[in-house]
Amino acid sequence: SQKIEQNSEALNIQEGKTATLTCNYTNYSPAYLQWYRQDPGRGPVFLLLIRENEKEKRKERLKVTFDTTLKQSLFHITASQPADSATYLCARDTGRRALTFGSGTRLQVQP
Amino acid sequence: EAGVAQSPRYKIIEKRQSVAFWCNPISGHATLYWYQQILGQGPKLLIQFQNNGVVDDSQLPKDRFSAERLKGVDSTLKIQPAKLEDSAVYLCASSATVSASTDTQYFGPGTRLTVL
């Protein structure tokens, strides 16, 4: 089965620093990966999609990379703010028009 | 544009009881998903509808879970009878077209189910 692995340990960083979250996948390379943000008591919110033929994608302070050799995606938040504190989920396509989500990494940005 | 609506937001039941959740997707969205999210885990797809037809229900425990999407709009998810391990947040999501590959999925707030 296609698995998505994210670091289950919370990531604590200081405001203004760059947060880097890791997403590793197994088996065949997905056609794309998606990143979502989830706040407590709310549903996930879509942030970025990156295709396997794209090395990097940016949106404002967010940057995602996709390395098919390492089978890994990195999610960066530059100039992090306390408001960025949330759980970030990585998801891959299953080849069957559905998504498989990782367990998420909780980010805590300290003021 | 109104988002995905779900009700109820919270439900507490005894094991072996029945429960139903309701979802109203974003207007015009063709694809509707039900996910189960256990505490500390990511969402797990239970069932995916395209209009009112089932596309994928491979992870739906069909001996106790059922879902329908009448007229290709609203959807209900039912659990009968509930087990302790069904305690989770049930998320509904919708996407505009028939391909989940690149479509953005819009999630509702979820229903938190506690089975005692």
Side-chain angles (χ1 to χ4, degrees):
Chain A
S1 62
Q2 301 87 30
K3 290 187 177 179
I4 283 280
E5 295 174 351
Q6 294 184 257
N7 192 342
S8 59
E9 291 184 19
L11 178 63
N12 293 289
I13 64 169
Q14 286 296 119
E15 182 175 7
K17 301 292 186 183
T18 296
T20 299
L21 285 67
T22 304
C23 174
N24 295 294
Y25 61 88
T26 60
N27 295 329
Y28 68 87
S29 180
Y32 62 89
L33 289 165
Q34 296 190 18
W35 283 87
Y36 287 76
R37 168 182 173 146
Q38 187 171 27
D39 291 284
R42 295 179 178 268
V45 175
F46 173 78
L47 295 174
L48 282 169
L49 178 149
I50 185 166
R51 302 172 196 274
E52 67 174 328
N53 61 351
E54 297 175 316
K55 296 292 185 189
E56 182 180 295
K57 201 81 167 280
R58 290 176 184 263
K59 178 183 176 182
E60 297 173 351
R61 294 184 296 111
L62 309 180
K63 184 178 84 171
V64 175
T65 62
F66 194 165
D67 189 325
T68 56
T69 301
L70 294 178
K71 294 191 174 183
Q72 182 180 85
S73 174
L74 297 179
F75 178 82
H76 306 272
I77 304 176
T78 58
S80 59
Q81 305 165 1
D84 295 326
S85 298
T87 295
Y88 291 86
L89 298 162
C90 176
R92 65 167 291 166
D93 74 297
T94 64
R96 296 175 56 190
R97 296 189 296 166
L99 290 174
T100 295
F101 283 85
S103 56
T105 298
R106 188 163 60 89
L107 172 66
Q108 188 70 38
V109 181
Q110 306 291 345
Chain B
E1 148 180 283
V4 176
Q6 290 189 247
S7 68
R9 290 297 313 277
Y10 306 92
K11 190 73 177 179
I12 300 174
I13 61 173
E14 301 277 339
K15 60 183 178 182
R16 291 188 289 273
Q17 285 188 322
S18 302
V19 64
F21 313 125
W22 173 82
C23 172
N24 185 16
I26 292 174
S27 178
H29 276 196
T31 306
L32 184 147
Y33 315 81
W34 282 102
Y35 290 89
Q36 179 192 60
Q37 187 172 26
I38 293 172
L39 187 64
Q41 299 182 19
K44 183 182 86 170
L45 180 71
L46 293 176
I47 189 167
Q48 177 182 350
F49 292 94
Q50 178 179 307
N51 295 313
N52 61 346
V54 175
V55 173
D56 184 354
D57 62 357
S58 58
Q59 297 189 92
L60 186 74
K62 298 180 186 63
D63 57 334
R64 299 183 299 107
F65 286 64
S66 64
E68 59 181 7
R69 189 184 185 196
L70 299 176
K71 300 180 181 178
V73 183
D74 293 7
S75 178
T76 56
L77 175 70
K78 296 179 181 178
I79 307 175
Q80 179 180 8
K83 293 185 176 181
L84 296 177
E85 59 261 37
D86 298 332
S87 294
V89 174
Y90 290 85
L91 294 162
C92 179
S94 68
S95 60
T97 68
V98 299
S99 167
S101 297
T102 55
D103 261 359
T104 296
Q105 293 191 24
Y106 296 87
F107 284 81
T111 297
R112 180 176 297 277
L113 173 67
T114 301
V115 182
L116 303 176

